[in-house]
Amino acid sequence: MKRLSPRMLLGLTLLVIITACAAFAPMIAPYSPVATSTNVLGAPSAQNWLGTDQLGRDVFSRILWGTRISLQVGAAAAVVAVLIGAPIGLVAGFFRGRVDFVLVQVIDIFIALPGLVLALIITAMLGTSVLNLSVTLGIVTAPTVARLVRGQVFVVRETLFVEAARATGAGAGWIIRKHIMPNTMRVVWAQFAINVSLAIFTSASLSYLGLGVPPPAPDWGGMVRDGSMFLPLRPALSLAPGGAVALTVFTFYLIGSSMNDAD
Amino acid sequence: MPPPVGANNGGNTPDFTLSSQQEEKMNRRQMLSTVSALMLAAGLPATVFAQDAPPTQGGTLNVGFISDLRTMDPLQSTQWTERQILFTIFDRLVDLNPDFSLKPGLAKSWDFEEDGRRLVLHLETGVTFHDGTSFNAEAVKWNLDTRLDPNGNSSQRRQLEGVIESVEVVDDATVAITLTEPYPPLLSLFADRAGLMASPAAAEKWGEDIGSHPVGTGPFKLGEWTRGSTLTVTRNEEFWQEGMPHLDAITFNDIPSNVVGIQRMMIGELDYIGHLTPLDTKLAAASPEISVEPSAGGQWYSLQWKWDSAPYDNPELRRAVAYGLNRERINQILWEGEGVISNGFTPDGLWWSTDDLADYSYDPDKARQILEDAGLTGTKLQLAAPSGDALRRFAELAHEDLNAIGLDVELAPVPQSEYYAKTVAGEIRFTPMRWTQRADPDGLIQYLFATDGTANSTKYSNPQVDEWIYEARVLTDQDARKALYDKIQKQISEDLAYMPVGFSREFSALRAEVKGYTPMPDLIPRFRYFWKDGA
């Protein structure tokens, strides 16, 4: 087995920590993330490490629990993106010609629209929930996956082993399943990690705009927004969840980009 | 926090500051004693008036507000934020004292004749509009007729039609209004938007564009208006009340949020911001140049349901919610304990206030038991969570309390700008709601609780209550009216038309040099009386 690059190692270490936070949130978090209290906008203290928010909820506990939502939304969105984007990319790349032309036009239209704007439009139609948010972000990132897969398919379909398979009379479906797909997976996985980070980032933006996960769920983007009302007084209310978003996005980006660089 | 169109629209305007006309007739000492008496009547702090130096003339006041301005035409205006500006450009026919009693405005005096079926207004003379045309009986007739025009779409038409039969010019300074039936609350409508007098000549000149070219008789004229940014009104040198106004100009600055407003205030860009929550004031309190003044009373907060549709048509469910809501705790968290919890919708200190209401003190065990006995445990409810911070926080707290008594409540986020329209349309059936107080009980009571009330979006209907409401609105004797309103309010609290929560606490922040501010029960500041020390 190859040695992991330092970047990959850092990424994976952070991923383990973040995942542990999500998995063990009920054990680590000192308070319920949704229990309000009359200690409103409390300063950071021994009881509330990062202080309390505008409804007296413990900010540290909410950030820990928020890891779950962020990872859920990020991973689910990336899966949706692969499920939608990969088949489109495979078909476009393999059949080329008119099919490719039409699909690429559609993909380009979606890529041309800023992701956040597209997400705003879809969220407005679907309504807000964790599931809808994942689907929305999946749709938004799917075109990138399709583009990437298509390009990879172009390369793979010209290789000798594909040509050999075709010579022996193998059908398109069989070739795609047996040869093309396995050989495009690495790119897909790299993009998967990057899409997780994109989805987490965009979902935080949507929540900041009030279109993310419905309250009272502990959602980082929403926490940044609520905290911004009290930024001069309690900077931690906004900066801490903002830092959590940054760290998580950074982690997945590190992993994704290291996979791309690896040979 | 743009309030919904409709909600908050009707807060009538008790005017707490003496008009200059009265000031002229009094020396300073008399004035102060009168003012103190007024303050005692309203239970307000006396510090507001402890100002010895005469008002400084000149200077520009910079007001910060979260703007949703649409029009400056008082006949069309619906937005609540528009009124604080309209009140500087226009005068009203009738003005109000802090106990909601009436005092002269553009009408010096009035009489009811023919058993209350005819209202005669005696107008101020020598008053001119900003365009030089004179204010007279013809102008009043035009203002009322235009509001009543079925082809016009004045926002006040529904208030006035059915009440006013015709308007007649008796002479240049006298107007007689024939009513369909006796309706004393008409005077308090004239103390609000329906009484703002606009120039007929200007309306003819500008046509559809009148909303951008308001012409009134008020102490200020419209200067420059950059939509979405600033609106400036400048001093009217010809103003009919001597010595007024004190300021040269007032600029209304659009701010995205209160926190930004307070920051701009700290560096001296703004002089005044209203509608601060107790949490907002924590920021302002850190700065020595800013003083924070409590408003007189607050908005009425409630949970509103669709009273006639399942499961909200079940009195047991409503009762369970009423006992299950920890209102004291909501007060602690939302308003730092400075709000006032109430079983009704009328704050203390008004002539129709009452304590004789059904009492729903917090009792979660009882609430749980009621649900269980009625087989309602686990009922799924969707509670709207409007995006505006105050209402969303309130929804989150209600969500927590109601789930704790065994209901299955889900929060449904909705943009602040849409929630009221959706509630009226019946798409939202359970939502936090808030209203401002009006100068006459008929305002809010008929509006919200009569079966055919203009804003009855709960679909509350009780024939007995209807009968009392229509009986009370035509009475001239205040004691007789009070007796009926007591019965009405008790019945409504027993029927739980709304789940009443209480009255919020709001604050205004002012820079230290800003004077002349008086808290108003309708939460609309009267900027015409402001001045800046040393300006």
Side-chain angles (χ1 to χ4, degrees):
Chain A
M1 204 187 128
K2 272 184 308 177
R3 279 196 51 188
L4 293 171
S5 70
R7 273 205 298 169
M8 183 61 120
L9 202 62
L10 177 61
L12 289 177
T13 313
L14 287 172
L15 181 64
V16 169
I17 297 172
I18 292 168
T19 316
C21 285
F24 303 114
M27 281 154 259
I28 312 170
Y31 300 93
S32 152
V34 292
T36 59
S37 81
T38 48
N39 178 19
V40 172
L41 294 183
S45 66
Q47 285 78 38
N48 306 102
W49 296 354
L50 294 172
T52 57
D53 71 2
Q54 70 283 351
L55 291 175
R57 298 174 296 207
D58 181 53
V59 173
F60 178 66
S61 302
R62 281 178 74 73
I63 289 178
L64 277 179
W65 278 88
T67 319
R68 288 191 162 194
I69 293 180
S70 281
L71 290 188
Q72 263 175 31
V73 170
V79 169
V80 171
V82 169
L83 289 181
I84 298 174
I88 295 175
L90 283 172
V91 170
F94 190 78
F95 292 105
R96 300 202 284 198
R98 253 180 229 167
V99 179
D100 182 42
F101 180 78
V102 172
L103 288 175
V104 166
Q105 300 306 314
V106 175
I107 293 169
D108 281 352
I109 289 173
F110 274 85
I111 289 182
L113 282 171
L116 187 61
V117 174
L118 193 57
L120 280 173
I121 296 168
I122 304 175
T123 323
M125 292 192 300
L126 292 181
T128 57
S129 74
V130 174
L131 181 71
N132 288 349
L133 197 58
S134 310
V135 172
T136 303
L137 297 171
I139 295 173
V140 169
T141 41
T144 330
V145 177
R147 262 266 185 213
L148 215 73
V149 170
R150 172 178 168 274
Q152 194 66 16
V153 174
F154 275 170
V155 179
V156 180
R157 80 187 295 277
E158 302 306 330
T159 54
L160 288 175
F161 56 86
V162 172
E163 212 167 302
R166 205 174 286 138
T168 59
W174 190 87
I175 295 175
I176 289 179
R177 268 202 319 279
K178 288 286 165 190
H179 288 309
I180 312 274
M181 264 170 57
N183 283 293
T184 53
M185 278 327 275
R186 208 198 64 214
V187 188
V188 171
W189 278 117
Q191 188 60 33
F192 183 89
I194 288 172
N195 278 352
V196 172
S197 75
L198 267 176
I200 291 175
F201 189 75
T202 313
S203 103
S205 310
L206 281 177
S207 297
Y208 184 85
L209 296 172
L211 286 168
V213 185
D219 166 70
W220 291 344
M223 292 172 72
V224 173
R225 183 188 70 159
D226 291 343
S228 69
M229 300 287 151
F230 312 103
L231 200 57
L233 189 72
R234 297 275 178 265
L237 289 189
S238 261
L239 297 184
V245 174
L247 187 69
T248 314
V249 168
F250 175 67
T251 302
F252 282 96
Y253 190 78
L254 265 186
I255 295 171
S257 63
S258 315
M259 282 165 85
N260 261 342
D261 295 348
D263 283 318
Chain B
M1 177 202 63
V5 184
N8 284 333
N9 267 347
N12 246 337
T13 48
D15 205 331
F16 192 39
T17 315
L18 293 167
S19 72
S20 295
Q21 180 201 5
Q22 282 168 300
E23 282 175 40
E24 283 168 46
K25 294 176 189 154
M26 282 189 259
N27 67 32
R28 180 140 210 100
R29 178 168 310 195
Q30 281 171 328
M31 187 174 124
L32 282 174
S33 66
T34 310
V35 163
S36 312
L38 287 177
M39 280 181 318
L40 284 176
L44 291 172
T47 50
V48 182
F49 286 94
Q51 283 143 356
D52 294 317
T56 312
Q57 295 295 119
T60 297
L61 183 80
N62 273 290
V63 176
F65 76 123
I66 300 173
S67 165
D68 53 0
L69 298 182
R70 289 186 188 160
T71 177
M72 280 296 118
D73 177 10
L75 281 69
Q76 299 287 337
S77 165
T78 53
Q79 300 300 98
W80 196 48
T81 51
E82 287 164 359
R83 255 185 294 174
Q84 58 183 334
I85 305 172
L86 292 176
F87 282 10
T88 66
I89 302 174
F90 297 91
D91 293 310
R92 288 162 289 158
L93 285 174
V94 178
D95 222 332
L96 288 161
N97 288 313
D99 61 350
F100 287 139
S101 62
L102 305 164
K103 70 173 189 182
L106 281 171
K108 284 192 292 201
S109 63
W110 48 83
D111 312 295
F112 276 104
E113 294 173 356
E114 296 172 17
D115 292 330
R117 287 179 181 274
R118 189 175 145 100
L119 172 64
V120 180
L121 301 175
H122 306 282
L123 307 175
E124 281 286 344
T125 48
V127 178
T128 55
F129 288 107
H130 302 158
D131 60 4
T133 58
S134 59
F135 167 78
N136 53 28
E138 280 296 341
V140 175
K141 179 175 166 54
W142 177 87
N143 268 279
L144 295 179
D145 284 349
T146 310
R147 281 170 165 92
L148 286 164
D149 183 359
N151 299 318
N153 35 17
S154 168
S155 54
Q156 298 118 50
R157 197 180 87 217
R158 287 195 66 172
Q159 293 181 318
L160 299 177
E161 70 184 3
V163 174
I164 297 181
E165 198 169 275
S166 64
V167 184
E168 178 198 337
V169 175
V170 178
D171 61 48
D172 209 40
T174 315
V175 180
I177 300 167
T178 309
L179 308 179
T180 54
E181 58 178 350
Y183 187 62
L186 181 61
L187 286 170
S188 56
L189 292 182
F190 286 160
D192 196 5
R193 267 184 317 217
L196 290 165
M197 292 291 112
S199 159
E204 188 159 335
K205 180 178 173 194
W206 295 105
E208 300 256 301
D209 213 17
I210 186 68
S212 306
H213 303 277
V215 177
T217 58
F220 292 92
K221 312 181 201 189
L222 182 68
E224 205 171 330
W225 183 7
T226 312
R227 284 175 191 263
S229 169
T230 59
L231 184 152
T232 301
V233 294
T234 55
R235 184 187 172 81
N236 170 17
E237 300 292 350
E238 319 293 323
F239 186 54
W240 56 282
Q241 294 178 343
E242 215 170 301
M244 285 280 290
H246 311 304
L247 293 165
D248 284 339
I250 308 170
T251 300
F252 296 87
N253 299 268
D254 191 5
I255 52 171
S257 69
N258 285 340
V259 67
V260 173
I262 292 167
Q263 306 267 321
R264 289 186 61 184
M265 195 173 223
M266 284 174 176
I267 57 171
E269 284 185 0
L270 296 179
D271 301 305
Y272 175 95
I273 317 173
H275 308 300
L276 301 180
T277 66
L279 294 186
D280 292 329
T281 63
K282 290 192 173 188
L283 294 176
S287 170
E289 291 115 54
I290 299 178
S291 71
V292 174
E293 307 275 352
S295 304
Q299 305 194 57
W300 176 54
Y301 276 68
S302 65
L303 284 180
Q304 155 163 1
W305 34 46
K306 202 93 181 337
W307 195 81
D308 66 337
S309 78
Y312 307 104
D313 59 349
N314 188 334
E316 294 304 297
L317 179 98
R318 298 199 300 269
R319 250 162 40 90
V321 170
Y323 285 113
L325 210 57
N326 191 344
R327 295 183 292 172
E328 271 311 329
R329 189 162 184 275
I330 289 173
N331 185 10
Q332 287 297 326
I333 295 175
L334 281 190
W335 307 313
E336 301 228 298
E338 294 188 61
V340 178
I341 295 307
S342 168
N343 290 312
F345 46 87
T346 311
D348 291 340
L350 304 180
W351 63 257
W352 65 96
S353 307
T354 174
D355 284 334
D356 185 18
L357 300 164
D359 181 34
Y360 302 101
S361 7
Y362 179 55
D363 190 344
D365 294 327
K366 186 169 178 177
R368 229 171 275 129
Q369 195 59 47
I370 293 173
L371 287 178
E372 219 152 279
D373 293 346
L376 289 167
T377 305
T379 305
K380 282 191 195 312
L381 305 176
Q382 221 182 34
L383 176 63
S387 54
D389 290 296
L391 291 179
R392 193 168 47 95
R393 282 177 209 156
F394 174 28
E396 287 186 53
L397 292 172
H399 170 262
E400 195 181 15
D401 283 349
L402 299 183
N403 280 340
I405 59 165
L407 289 167
D408 183 5
V409 183
E410 185 189 80
L411 287 178
V414 51
Q416 179 85 19
S417 53
E418 289 170 22
Y419 97 95
Y420 184 70
K422 285 189 167 177
T423 306
V424 172
E427 282 173 56
I428 290 176
R429 304 195 307 142
F430 191 28
T431 179
M433 183 52 72
R434 60 181 171 204
W435 286 90
T436 45
Q437 206 40 244
R438 291 160 184 239
D440 187 279
D442 186 62
L444 214 52
I445 291 177
Q446 190 273 342
Y447 210 51
L448 295 182
F449 303 108
T451 303
D452 60 351
T454 315
N456 182 349
S457 50
T458 57
K459 300 293 171 206
Y460 171 71
S461 178
N462 183 331
Q464 178 64 69
V465 170
D466 284 348
E467 203 186 305
W468 287 332
I469 289 176
Y470 288 103
E471 199 184 328
R473 79 189 321 210
V474 299
L475 294 179
T476 39
D477 177 43
Q478 190 162 304
D479 292 335
R481 288 188 84 192
K482 165 105 170 77
L484 278 170
Y485 286 124
D486 283 355
K487 287 204 280 185
I488 291 170
Q489 294 182 76
K490 178 157 194 194
Q491 188 59 48
I492 290 171
S493 74
E494 278 167 5
D495 290 341
L496 279 170
Y498 283 67
M499 171 60 217
V501 174
F503 301 93
S504 65
R505 196 72 161 129
E506 289 195 0
F507 296 84
S508 296
L510 302 89
R511 285 188 63 84
E513 61 271 27
V514 176
K515 308 288 177 194
Y517 166 71
T518 308
M520 293 294 168
D522 60 5
L523 307 174
I524 299 172
R526 304 304 195 269
F527 292 116
R528 61 164 66 190
Y529 301 109
F530 278 44
W531 78 89
K532 275 171 99 172
D533 240 2

